[in-house]
Amino acid sequence: MSGSYGASGPAACHFAHYFVICGIDTESGLESDELAALYQWLEADRQGKDPGAAATGENFEQSPLKRTFKSKVLAHYPENVEWNPFDQDAVNMLCMPKGLSFRTQADQRLPQFHSFIITKEDGSRTYGFVHTFYEEVTSPQICSAMQTLYQMHNAEHATPQPTSSSSSSSSMDSLASSLDEADPSSSSASFSSPAVGGYDLSRDTLYVTKALCLITPMPFMHACRQFLSQLHRAVTVVPAPPLPLESYVYNILYEVPLPAPGRTLKFHGVFEPIVCQRPGLGELQLADFPLSEAFSLLGVENLVQVFTCTLLEMQILLFSQDYQRLMTVAEGITTLLFPFQWQHVYVPILPASLFHFLDAPVPYLMGLQSKEDTDCSKLELPQEANLCFVDIDNRYIELPEDFPQFPNKTEFIQELSEVLLSFGISSNMGAPPRTHRSPVSNPCTLSRERKAMALQQLEDDGRNGNLAGEELAVLELLQGNTTLERLQALTKRTGVTVACVDALRARVKSQLTDKPGAQTVAEDEELRNAKLNVQLREVFASRFITMFADYEAFVIQSAPDLETWLTNREQMHNFDKASFLSDQPEPYLPFLSHFIETQMFATFIDNKIMSQWEEKEPLLRVFDARIDKAHLYNVRAPSLRSSSYQRCSVLKESALAIEQRLMKVDHTAIHPHLLDMKIGQGKYEQGFFPKLQADVLNTGTANNKWFQRTATTQRKQDQHRQQTAHLSLDNNLKERYMQEARSLGKNLRQPKLSDLSPAVIAQTNWKFVEGLLKECRMKTKRMLVEKMGHEAVELGHGEANITGLEENTLIASLCDLLERIWSHGLQVKQGKSALWSHLLLYQAREEKAEQQSHAESPTPHVAERRKSDCCLSMPGLCVTLIQDMRHIQSMSEIKTDVGRARAWIRLSLEKKLLSQHLKRLLSQQALTKNLYKRYAFLRCEEEKEQFLFHLLSLNAVDYFCFTSVFTTIMIPYRVVIIPIKKLSNAMTTSNPWVCVSGELGDSGIMQIPKNVLEMTFDCQNLGKLTTVQLGHDNAGLLAKWLVDCVMVRNEITGHTYRFPCGRWLGKGVDDGSLERVLIGELVVPCGEEDPRRGCYTPPLQRSPSQIRRISITSMSGRGSKPNSAQIQEAVGEAVSNIIKHFHKPEKERGSLTVLLCGENSLVAALEQFFHHGFKSARLFQKTMFIWDFVEKAGASMESADQMGDFQGPLGMTCQSLCHYINAINSTSRSIGKDGKFQLLVCLGTRDYLLPKWLPLLVECPVVQQMYEDTALLRDSSTVSALIRNLETLRDFPITLESSLVKGIDL
């Protein structure tokens, strides 16, 4: 977690907590790294071998100068700080992540600088800054041991032996490489003469690395680098500084305070003063790592992409040879997250011994040090489905699939590029990519490129701090190295700039002559970096202010007090996600729908809610102030929600604040001074950094009256704020909440560096298993509750709280969880998707077993079939895991294993078979045992059963997550027509046809072969099916056909739809219709063996039932007729449903045809209205239909209009009604009278004419002839109410399906 610095209390007032010296312990001698045995244990375990039998001992294959040797913390001062206990193992590992490195006088020995972070269990951080240099080895025992190692190494290779290594071991070696980036000698040198690239005690001088480290509560990187650089230079220059080294170390540990917020502090190093500044309470938090470096190393677009992955809490793995590059990029990305904070594992420098931590099935941001010339494509990682791999040195990133882009990405990148260009930095800069020799390349060109690259890398190292500011030492090295001097001369002749070397000479000359203003260049550079940092951060902050300007309106604050809220945290909804998304611009939704599901956003909202009862968290306070300011300048809040890009408006203001603060020093710390030391103490040998006097440096500030006096005021001012920032949750309940609720199943945010025994590693993996199970429970519960809430809306029990976009995000999150579960404890990775690899192995075994069973028995294998969902006429459907895999494998649209795995998950979830399929997959225990280690989640039986149970609960709701996502695939459909055999012939002599329509399109008219009631066809995905058009040409003697229903099944998903009819198709029967439009309903599975039994959602709307048709059209009217109140209520409800339809997001509306023509639809309600009091019985028992009344009314109005009875607008309305009636009657379609009335209602509603037609129909004389006096149509108040209802539809664009208006020319 980012954003928390150190601890509060007196220690927080100190600039530094510890000064540490790491190096070789001459007393214990030359030891192999103690982590080597653990590394071999992990490697053996990874390959499935017995770890106890792993080989141990020396690695004679590798040159001794390139091996890893054990380093130790030689000294640390003070002994311990109460508020920040010293973790010796962690500090030693991070100060020297690769252990000790040896060199001879023939090798490069440039000082190096890097930084690290130690994150505690509560998420607070301490920072380490390390200056590493080479020091001559004076111990005869160490030199003799190195000589012996070289003799053994040469003896091992006296006779050439073929080497063999697997790709996996080579990739693992890249993680345990020694500090050899700058070593010009190659490993092949050790195979030749010992005098070449080796070590000879009689002629060579041996050097070993030593590290000086400052551990601080806040990241003052530049100040710490300068102090350590000057401290090292003090033991190398002549004359020595006037004070002992202890005085300078004591000064920074006890007498230099932290700068007050919004103030600048100057303190004194060994040679020059050092200035640092701290942002004010209303500014962005301190960030001293140069963002310009992060942008230059990756490029603007790559960094924005990695930043987006971080926001979405994917797994981020940084890869570089340089430790400081790893830190710079990691800190740069997390700094830009404001106002959010990274909540998961954060290890910018991952030691080689912790490589197993990449197996963690949780989001992480880690940095991995690479070996020179390592092929990152051969690096074996436990999982890659959700991994963002960042090769910093080669400026290459590999993004996960299904990756949403950051909103306004193009404009955002453009603004960032302009800020960089304003400081003279090209947006296309980056680490120079590695070049490979081409057979056709010009040798001169390659030579020039290599020289330019060498200088560019040197310049990059300077910007990264790896030259550590020691200009004099570097210049001496440049002047004393003949190879570099020849390179410099060549570059001048070839025209390559060497400005960095010339500038180096100028700075050294300025320092040696002690001219006034010697520090101007350095100060200007620091000011420039600070201004660039804050402007880049302001651009990022501006984007979040734009996107979340009104977030507070959607925060749900329902708890009366903090304790109640903390106790019920998991059961509460804290943020109205659906409403928030509906309020955002459409282009933002793909990103925002994923982001608001992250833990960092949940923590941000939690902090907002807790601010009711306690002081605001610092980042939240600054962010809310920025939003208030934005609202002040934008009076109309909706302007903040526009999708148009809004540039940052505070760039100049923020840069000016930094400049004014750095130009004025607010406080100067006390100068280093003589300490109470005995005579003779504090002396040292030039060129060697000594152990310091512990009795002096371990004494705190108890006797330092000056520091007590100066620190008291600052402590009082900062104490309350720091306690709120760092320890705002100070009681047990809050602490437990922070450990559990914030992590949400991701219990381990930071690996322990102090204990790396196999037992601790096993315990760590057990925590991962528990975390995965808890995350599965939380995700399935969320999916179930949200989906059920949505389905309750269909039954009229509330408002929707989930959208299709939100649902898709939750399902994508479930896919990610399953990938992480299948990646945990994997023995050997076989593809980017661990789940799909497992499925393929299962498929291969099953198919092999099936072939063997066929060979042994001639009886064909009968696949498992599901019982019919509807009736005996629909054949059973094969529902095996293998069959669903084959469906996915046949989809050419999916190109990757990750995509296939996610498609298979979606298909299984839609079919309600996900739990059953996975249970079947894991039933092959021998396969699971071969694929996974002992501690893997899938080999924990009890947790696995609970996991499958949680997935089984998802069968309680319906998902269309496969159908709605893969919209372009070809799907086989099966159609079965079921006639009513008792009242008509099962077959018809005519030529029947059918057309199936769905939310995504229709199949087109398909002829049904004669004497066939079942057919199959392939068609592009139709989505959820809505209507079926069924008809025939009335040919033959037995043309009349009474159809009960039509069944249609999606052969991939198994969804079966029933389209009720219950009407005749034929001339001279019923209403004379030869074609009908049927509305479908999803069939609820009812088979006894169906795993989904009892788990279903309410059925969709369907075709009007035969009972209602009989009740309103038959002469006898045996069905129960609705009364006038019920009819008016039905009309109001039908209109209300259409209005609700248009208030939903466009992608979630479904089919409008159902609301217009289905059961309880507008057409059905108006049929009841018009049929109330209708005189349907006529002479000779001829049945009259409503369309008969409409036709007669139209003819009467047309006659009256010709006589001039209608004038003005009334005449135009009359003409439009007659025109529509004539157009419907003249259509080529053979639709019956009920179908024609339905068509008139739909067209009148679409064109907003229905409310205008009703008064004409009511006033028509035909009404008195065909309606009784009590009819609703003759009640003026009822008709007026109906007109008002229909007029409310005028505000909505009503579009009709082509199946309804086909053949109508209007």
Side-chain angles (χ1 to χ4, degrees):
M1 189 174 85
S2 65
S4 296
Y5 301 132
S8 66
C13 295
H14 295 164
F15 182 88
H17 286 175
Y18 293 99
F19 176 76
V20 186
I21 305 173
C22 294
I24 188 169
D25 185 359
T26 56
E27 295 181 0
S28 59
L30 194 61
E31 299 179 66
S32 295
D33 191 345
E34 64 180 354
L35 297 172
L38 174 63
Y39 176 79
Q40 292 179 1
W41 186 91
L42 291 170
E43 177 68 0
D45 187 56
R46 191 187 67 81
Q47 295 179 350
K49 302 176 183 177
D50 182 11
T56 60
E58 297 289 347
N59 177 17
F60 297 115
E61 296 287 334
Q62 198 173 33
S63 167
L65 288 181
K66 291 191 174 183
R67 296 182 197 170
T68 300
F69 294 95
K70 181 178 180 180
S71 65
K72 286 187 177 179
V73 174
L74 302 179
H76 68 277
Y77 316 100
E79 190 67 30
N80 194 53
V81 174
E82 181 181 353
W83 306 272
N84 183 18
F86 186 76
D87 189 339
Q88 182 164 306
D89 292 331
V91 171
N92 181 42
M93 185 180 295
L94 293 171
C95 280
M96 291 187 157
K98 294 175 292 187
L100 296 171
S101 176
F102 286 88
R103 292 288 184 269
T104 67
Q105 77 283 352
D107 302 322
Q108 292 183 11
R109 302 186 305 280
L110 285 176
Q112 298 247 339
F113 173 84
H114 78 272
S115 47
F116 62 82
I117 288 177
I118 296 179
T119 306
K120 300 179 183 178
E121 291 184 359
D122 63 354
S124 63
R125 294 179 173 186
T126 53
Y127 292 81
F129 301 97
V130 186
H131 178 88
T132 307
F133 57 94
Y134 283 89
E135 192 173 82
E136 183 179 345
V137 178
T138 58
S139 169
Q141 293 84 359
I142 300 297
C143 295
S144 298
M146 182 61 68
Q147 177 75 51
T148 303
L149 288 175
Y150 254 102
Q151 291 173 352
M152 297 171 67
H153 173 73
N154 292 330
E156 182 75 15
H157 294 283
T159 55
Q161 297 178 356
T163 59
S164 62
S165 62
S166 65
S167 61
S168 62
S169 62
S170 65
S171 66
M172 293 289 285
D173 288 342
S174 69
L175 304 173
S177 61
S178 59
L179 190 62
D180 58 356
E181 294 92 338
D183 190 355
S185 61
S186 64
S187 58
S188 61
S190 61
F191 291 86
S192 58
S193 169
V196 180
Y199 173 69
D200 189 334
L201 180 61
S202 63
R203 64 175 174 81
D204 290 327
T205 303
L206 190 64
Y207 295 86
V208 68
T209 48
K210 180 176 277 190
L212 307 179
C213 172
L214 273 180
I215 295 179
T216 66
M218 298 186 73
F220 291 106
M221 187 200 73
H222 288 97
C224 292
R225 190 184 76 181
Q226 291 179 53
F227 177 82
L228 293 172
S229 172
Q230 294 183 36
L231 197 63
H232 173 227
R233 184 149 51 112
V235 300
T236 61
V237 299
V238 178
L243 296 174
L245 297 178
E246 286 83 353
S247 295
Y248 303 105
V249 174
Y250 184 92
N251 179 253
I252 200 167
L253 287 177
Y254 300 117
E255 298 175 335
V256 177
L258 280 177
R263 296 291 184 264
T264 301
L265 169 73
K266 182 170 77 172
F267 63 94
H268 294 270
V270 181
F271 299 103
E272 300 127 10
I274 299 170
V275 178
C276 59
Q277 61 87 26
R278 184 176 176 185
L281 297 178
E283 300 178 62
L284 299 177
Q285 68 190 57
L286 175 65
D288 209 25
F289 290 85
L291 287 176
S292 58
E293 281 306 307
F295 279 93
S296 296
L297 289 168
L298 292 182
V300 179
E301 182 170 4
N302 281 351
L303 191 137
V304 170
Q305 296 285 62
V306 177
F307 172 74
T308 308
C309 287
T310 309
L311 284 171
L312 300 179
E313 295 186 339
M314 298 177 177
Q315 293 178 323
I316 317 293
L317 182 61
L318 309 177
F319 199 61
S320 175
Q321 294 184 43
D322 190 284
Y323 290 131
Q324 188 60 13
R325 286 185 174 184
L326 295 173
M327 272 295 296
T328 299
V329 173
E331 277 293 284
I333 290 173
T334 54
T335 297
L336 296 172
L337 294 176
F338 169 86
F340 308 102
Q341 304 176 55
W342 180 255
Q343 299 291 317
H344 304 282
V345 175
Y346 181 68
V347 191
I349 299 176
L350 184 72
S353 58
L354 292 181
F355 177 72
H356 67 281
F357 212 78
L358 294 175
D359 193 26
V362 295
Y364 58 69
L365 201 167
M366 298 191 198
L368 206 57
Q369 196 270 346
S370 63
K371 190 175 180 179
E372 189 174 7
D373 297 327
T374 298
D375 185 0
C376 63
S377 63
K378 295 182 180 179
L379 184 66
E380 291 190 3
L381 300 171
Q383 68 157 320
E384 296 183 43
N386 199 40
L387 178 71
C388 174
F389 182 79
V390 185
D391 186 350
I392 298 174
D393 298 337
N394 292 312
R395 208 186 193 195
Y396 166 78
I397 65 172
E398 186 173 336
L399 298 170
E401 295 184 25
D402 300 333
F403 175 68
Q405 298 298 322
F406 193 75
N408 298 116
K409 175 188 164 188
T410 303
E411 297 89 344
F412 184 43
I413 290 175
Q414 177 65 29
E415 184 176 11
L416 291 170
S417 301
E418 290 176 6
V419 172
L420 290 168
L421 284 173
S422 68
F423 285 83
I425 299 176
S426 170
S427 59
N428 293 321
M429 286 180 62
R434 304 213 188 290
T435 56
H436 301 278
R437 184 180 296 276
S438 171
V440 297
S441 299
N442 186 340
C444 296
T445 303
L446 287 174
S447 177
R448 187 180 300 114
E449 288 176 353
R450 283 196 295 273
K451 295 165 190 172
M453 188 182 301
L455 287 176
Q456 179 65 42
Q457 288 175 333
L458 183 63
E459 191 175 359
D460 285 343
D461 284 339
R463 288 201 307 268
N464 283 329
N466 290 333
L467 297 183
E470 300 194 9
E471 291 89 350
L472 181 61
V474 174
L475 187 60
E476 288 174 353
L477 178 65
L478 288 174
Q479 293 172 339
N481 191 309
T482 56
T483 303
L484 287 177
E485 291 209 345
R486 286 199 302 271
L487 175 62
Q488 184 180 347
L490 282 171
T491 54
K492 285 185 177 180
R493 288 200 297 272
T494 53
V496 179
T497 179
V498 287
C500 56
V501 180
D502 294 336
L504 188 59
R505 278 204 186 92
R507 289 200 297 271
V508 172
K509 183 178 179 181
S510 174
Q511 292 174 9
L512 293 177
T513 55
D514 195 26
K515 290 183 180 180
Q519 294 302 311
T520 302
V521 175
E523 291 175 355
D524 287 349
E525 184 68 19
E526 183 178 354
L527 175 60
R528 175 179 174 274
N529 285 334
K531 291 167 67 175
L532 176 56
N533 260 25
V534 74
Q535 289 197 4
L536 289 171
R537 295 172 66 198
E538 289 289 358
V539 174
F540 279 83
S542 175
R543 298 309 307 135
F544 288 122
I545 291 170
T546 301
M547 285 188 281
F548 295 98
D550 295 318
Y551 85 95
E552 192 171 355
F554 303 97
V555 176
I556 303 172
Q557 300 182 348
S558 54
D561 54 69
L562 179 59
E563 185 175 353
T564 303
W565 183 79
L566 291 173
T567 304
N568 301 290
R569 167 66 184 86
E570 290 189 2
Q571 287 74 37
M572 288 186 174
H573 291 282
N574 295 331
F575 192 74
D576 188 351
K577 297 176 180 179
S579 299
F580 173 77
L581 290 176
S582 66
D583 203 39
Q584 303 308 308
E586 183 75 20
Y588 291 9
L589 295 181
F591 169 79
L592 287 177
S593 62
H594 285 78
F595 178 67
I596 63 176
E597 296 295 332
T598 61
Q599 185 57 33
M600 71 173 71
F601 184 78
T603 302
F604 174 76
I605 297 300
D606 289 349
N607 289 336
K608 180 64 178 178
I609 293 175
M610 287 190 293
S611 68
Q612 298 176 86
W613 303 290
E614 57 185 30
E615 188 175 347
K616 281 187 179 180
E617 191 268 341
L619 296 183
L620 178 64
R621 183 180 62 246
V622 176
F623 187 67
D624 282 351
R626 299 286 180 96
I627 289 180
D628 292 341
K629 185 177 179 181
H631 283 158
L632 184 64
Y633 285 100
N634 297 271
V635 180
R636 296 186 61 191
S639 65
L640 294 173
R641 297 193 296 269
S642 169
S643 61
S644 61
Y645 187 78
Q646 297 180 13
R647 300 173 71 88
C648 181
S649 60
V650 296
L651 294 182
K652 293 182 180 179
E653 176 185 334
S654 59
L656 182 61
I658 291 285
E659 184 173 4
Q660 290 176 345
R661 190 156 54 238
L662 282 176
M663 296 299 288
K664 177 188 176 184
V665 175
D666 298 295
H667 178 67
T668 301
I670 187 173
H671 285 249
H673 52 85
L674 283 173
L675 302 175
D676 186 13
M677 298 173 62
K678 297 178 182 178
I679 298 175
Q681 288 184 338
K683 292 184 178 181
Y684 53 86
E685 185 179 354
Q686 185 180 0
F688 297 88
F689 199 94
K691 283 190 178 180
L692 305 180
Q693 299 301 313
D695 56 341
V696 175
L697 295 180
N698 284 335
T699 303
T701 58
N703 299 322
N704 190 326
K705 297 179 180 179
W706 182 91
F707 186 79
Q708 288 180 344
R709 183 172 63 253
T710 56
T712 300
T713 303
Q714 182 178 337
R715 184 182 302 115
K716 288 180 179 179
Q717 291 175 347
D718 291 350
Q719 186 174 17
H720 180 66
R721 183 194 58 77
Q722 289 172 340
Q723 287 178 347
T724 300
H726 305 150
L727 300 174
S728 58
L729 300 181
D730 53 0
N731 57 50
N732 293 334
L733 177 62
K734 296 178 185 177
E735 187 61 33
R736 184 168 63 252
Y737 164 72
M738 296 302 294
Q739 293 298 321
E740 296 178 1
R742 280 192 173 184
S743 64
L744 280 181
K746 305 169 182 64
N747 306 49
L748 200 62
R749 291 183 294 187
Q750 185 73 11
K752 292 184 69 66
L753 305 180
S754 54
D755 187 357
L756 295 174
S757 64
V760 171
I761 294 174
Q763 179 64 25
T764 299
N765 281 296
W766 177 247
K767 288 184 178 180
F768 286 147
V769 170
E770 292 179 327
L772 287 170
L773 183 61
K774 182 177 181 182
E775 188 177 357
C776 178
R777 177 176 62 84
M778 297 290 289
K779 285 189 185 297
T780 53
K781 179 182 177 181
R782 168 86 193 279
M783 293 173 66
L784 199 60
V785 171
E786 298 282 21
K787 187 70 174 177
M788 282 184 163
H790 179 62
E791 290 166 356
V793 178
E794 303 296 332
L795 300 175
H797 295 313
E799 297 182 358
N801 56 359
I802 186 171
T803 65
L805 187 65
E806 221 180 333
E807 177 181 310
N808 190 54
T809 302
L810 291 174
I811 293 171
S813 178
L814 177 67
C815 294
D816 168 53
L817 173 63
L818 294 180
E819 281 289 0
R820 286 190 279 118
I821 287 176
W822 255 258
S823 298
H824 182 240
L826 197 61
Q827 295 274 19
V828 179
K829 192 191 76 170
Q830 299 187 3
K832 287 196 172 184
S833 170
L835 174 58
W836 189 250
S837 298
H838 195 170
L839 286 167
L840 290 176
L841 291 172
Y842 172 85
Q843 182 184 30
R845 289 197 176 198
E846 287 293 300
E847 290 178 345
K848 183 178 180 180
E850 186 178 349
Q851 291 174 359
Q852 291 176 351
S853 64
H854 277 311
E856 294 173 0
S857 173
T859 305
H861 174 72
V862 180
E864 175 189 355
R865 290 186 178 272
R866 180 179 297 175
K867 288 190 175 183
S868 172
D869 292 333
C870 49
C871 67
L872 297 177
S873 299
M874 181 66 78
L877 181 67
C878 180
V879 287
T880 65
L881 186 158
I882 299 295
Q883 185 62 37
D884 285 345
M885 283 189 65
R886 289 170 180 163
H887 285 314
I888 302 302
Q889 289 167 326
S890 66
M891 294 167 58
S892 59
E893 296 84 355
I894 306 176
K895 308 295 184 184
T896 65
D897 286 351
V898 174
R900 294 185 186 96
R902 293 184 176 182
W904 182 85
I905 293 170
R906 287 176 176 273
L907 177 59
S908 302
L909 186 60
E910 183 165 327
K911 297 177 75 169
K912 301 180 185 289
L913 294 172
L914 181 59
S915 179
Q916 177 180 314
H917 279 348
L918 292 179
K919 185 175 182 179
R920 179 67 180 169
L921 175 66
L922 297 173
S923 65
Q924 288 195 358
Q925 296 185 1
L927 176 60
T928 306
K929 189 174 181 180
N930 290 338
L931 291 177
Y932 291 93
K933 301 174 187 176
R934 296 180 301 278
Y935 61 77
F937 181 93
L938 296 179
R939 291 186 63 180
C940 300
E941 293 300 323
E942 184 177 345
E943 285 71 23
K944 182 177 67 177
E945 289 301 319
Q946 293 183 50
F947 158 70
L948 294 173
F949 176 78
H950 291 318
L951 293 182
L952 183 64
S953 67
L954 295 177
N955 289 2
V957 293
D958 281 339
Y959 285 103
F960 289 86
C961 49
F962 179 86
T963 303
S964 61
V965 170
F966 301 99
T967 57
T968 60
I969 64 173
M970 298 298 292
I971 290 183
Y973 291 92
R974 183 179 299 273
V975 178
V976 176
I977 301 170
I978 302 175
I980 300 178
K981 298 179 181 179
K982 293 182 179 180
L983 301 178
S984 74
N985 299 309
M987 308 301 297
T988 177
T989 57
S990 61
N991 300 300
W993 56 267
V994 68
C995 176
V996 181
S997 300
E999 293 180 352
L1000 301 177
D1002 63 68
S1003 63
I1005 292 179
M1006 300 175 293
Q1007 294 295 328
I1008 303 174
K1010 284 190 176 182
N1011 302 322
V1012 172
L1013 293 176
E1014 179 179 339
M1015 65 177 291
T1016 59
F1017 66 93
D1018 290 339
C1019 179
Q1020 184 170 306
N1021 187 1
L1022 300 176
K1024 295 180 184 178
L1025 302 187
T1026 55
T1027 62
V1028 160
Q1029 292 174 257
L1030 181 66
H1032 62 76
D1033 61 358
N1034 204 44
L1037 296 176
L1038 301 174
K1040 300 175 182 177
W1041 203 14
L1042 181 59
V1043 177
D1044 179 48
C1045 66
V1046 177
M1047 308 292 298
V1048 183
R1049 185 173 68 199
N1050 181 321
E1051 294 291 274
I1052 291 181
T1053 65
H1055 285 312
T1056 303
Y1057 295 82
R1058 185 173 185 269
F1059 298 85
C1061 180
R1063 303 288 298 272
W1064 284 93
L1065 282 84
K1067 290 291 185 181
V1069 64
D1070 205 335
D1071 65 344
S1073 178
L1074 293 182
E1075 65 173 89
R1076 297 195 183 277
V1077 178
L1078 311 178
I1079 310 299
E1081 61 178 339
L1082 184 63
V1083 175
V1084 177
C1086 56
E1088 292 181 0
E1089 297 177 3
D1090 197 300
R1092 310 179 301 179
R1093 187 185 179 205
C1095 303
Y1096 58 89
T1097 52
L1100 301 175
Q1101 301 262 16
R1102 55 184 182 272
S1103 303
S1105 64
Q1106 176 68 2
I1107 294 177
R1108 182 178 65 79
R1109 288 289 183 180
I1110 293 175
S1111 70
I1112 62 177
T1113 59
S1114 69
M1115 199 169 38
S1116 58
R1118 294 178 182 176
S1120 59
K1121 294 183 178 181
N1123 57 40
S1124 59
Q1126 292 173 333
I1127 293 174
Q1128 293 180 67
E1129 183 180 352
V1131 172
E1133 184 179 350
V1135 172
S1136 177
N1137 287 337
I1138 295 175
I1139 294 173
K1140 289 179 181 178
H1141 168 87
F1142 285 102
H1143 278 95
K1144 295 179 181 178
E1146 187 173 354
K1147 295 180 180 178
E1148 329 231 341
R1149 293 175 180 172
S1151 173
L1152 184 60
T1153 304
V1154 170
L1155 302 179
L1156 290 173
C1157 306
E1159 191 168 15
N1160 302 322
S1161 66
L1162 181 62
V1163 169
L1166 289 178
E1167 278 185 342
Q1168 293 177 350
F1169 186 92
F1170 274 87
H1171 208 272
H1172 186 266
F1174 186 58
K1175 301 175 182 178
S1176 56
R1178 291 294 183 269
L1179 192 61
F1180 306 118
Q1181 301 297 311
K1182 180 183 177 181
T1183 300
M1184 299 294 292
F1185 292 86
I1186 298 174
W1187 185 252
D1188 294 324
F1189 160 70
V1190 172
E1191 281 185 316
K1192 291 185 177 182
S1196 173
M1197 284 185 281
E1198 194 170 7
S1199 174
D1201 184 50
Q1202 291 175 357
M1203 297 177 62
D1205 292 347
F1206 297 108
Q1207 300 293 332
L1210 192 61
M1212 296 181 63
T1213 303
C1214 174
Q1215 292 173 9
S1216 69
L1217 175 59
C1218 296
H1219 177 59
Y1220 275 67
I1221 294 172
N1222 294 332
I1224 292 172
N1225 278 329
S1226 60
T1227 180
S1228 58
R1229 295 172 59 186
S1230 301
I1231 54 178
K1233 293 181 178 180
D1234 280 345
K1236 290 179 180 180
F1237 177 75
Q1238 173 178 286
L1239 188 52
L1240 181 67
V1241 171
C1242 291
L1243 291 172
T1245 305
R1246 181 195 69 181
D1247 299 334
Y1248 315 116
L1249 294 172
L1250 205 53
K1252 297 180 180 179
W1253 290 343
L1254 278 174
L1256 292 176
L1257 292 173
V1258 170
E1259 298 299 329
C1260 181
V1262 180
V1263 172
Q1264 299 176 2
Q1265 302 172 13
M1266 304 188 70
Y1267 280 88
E1268 299 172 356
D1269 294 340
T1270 58
L1272 289 176
L1273 198 60
R1274 300 184 64 177
D1275 184 345
S1276 58
S1277 60
T1278 305
V1279 172
S1280 298
L1282 174 61
I1283 292 173
R1284 287 194 299 272
N1285 252 334
L1286 295 176
E1287 283 178 341
T1288 59
L1289 299 178
R1290 178 177 295 275
D1291 298 330
F1292 307 103
I1294 294 182
T1295 304
L1296 302 179
E1297 279 190 22
S1298 59
S1299 59
L1300 293 177
V1301 297
K1302 190 181 299 181
I1304 304 297
D1305 184 18
L1306 285 172

